[in-house]
Each structure stands twice: as structure tokens, then as C-alpha cells.
Amino acid sequence: QLRLVESGGGLVQAGGSLRLSCRFPTTILSTFNGMDMAWYRQAPGKERELVAARASGRDTNYAEDIKDRFTISKDNTKRTMYLQMNSLKPEDTAVYYCNTDYYGQTNWGRGIQVTVSS
């Protein structure tokens, strides 16, 4: 199992912005550039859902309700994936998780809370 560490969550007013980070372990430095990775979220009482995904070839995929507001990116030198979230809405309130498959095993971070107040 990879230890993925999320940071950057918190409380923000509607219309505000946050940037989430997900740091990958040093052990995968040589393969980070070629890895597919994603952000998911889970709101209270709801199932975990895909927010944004980034393939190794730079193809990205976004959930319909966050398109044009969120951007997934990564910094290979820092082994870190990001989720820039703009124009946040109360319905974006959830625990956000980073995710990657590594040698056939699915890995999750512990999750980080994002709360958007109206």
C-alpha cells in the first residue's frame, strides 16, 4: 500500500477557492510521471464519487458538476498531485480523497475535509 497524504482542505465561503495537495511517497519517484491518479469525494450520506482524473499521458476527465471550476494537475519534481478548486459551492462540501492504482493495487489517501459555507 502506498501512503498518500492529502493537505489543503478546510472551511471556505461560497465563491472561494482552495487547493488540495496529495503527496506520494519517495519510493515511487521513478514511476510517478507515468502514473494515473485521481481525486474522489464523499459527501455525508452519499457514495464516493470521481471528481477529476489525470492519466499519465496528460488526458484529464472531470465530473460534470465541477467542470470549469476545478483543475487537476501534478508536479513530478515534488511527487505531488493537486486539485485547484474555484467558485466553490456548498454542495462541494465533502471529504476529498486522492487515489492511484499502483501495480494493480488501488491506493487511497486518508481523506481531507472541505467545507463550503453559504
Side-chain angles (χ1 to χ4, degrees), residues 45-100:
K46 295 187 177 181
E47 293 187 355
R48 193 172 297 188
E49 62 178 3
L50 176 68
V51 175
R54 190 183 191 283
S56 59
R58 297 191 178 184
D59 290 339
T60 55
N61 181 39
Y62 293 95
E64 196 62 37
D65 61 339
I66 59 88
K67 273 184 180 179
D68 302 322
R69 297 191 296 122
F70 291 10
T71 303
I72 187 172
S73 63
K74 67 175 186 174
D75 185 328
N76 293 329
T77 62
K78 296 182 179 179
R79 307 180 326 273
T80 301
M81 174 178 65
Y82 303 99
L83 184 68
Q84 178 66 44
M85 306 185 293
N86 299 326
S87 302
L88 282 161
K89 303 176 181 180
E91 50 264 44
D92 295 318
T93 295
V95 177
Y96 285 71
Y97 299 87
C98 60
N99 164 279
T100 191

Side-chain angles (χ1 to χ4, degrees), residues 8-14 16-18 88 93 113-118:
L11 173 64
V12 65
Q13 288 188 332
S17 298
L18 284 174
L88 282 161
T93 295
Q113 179 70 44
V114 171
T115 303
V116 184
S117 63
S118 57

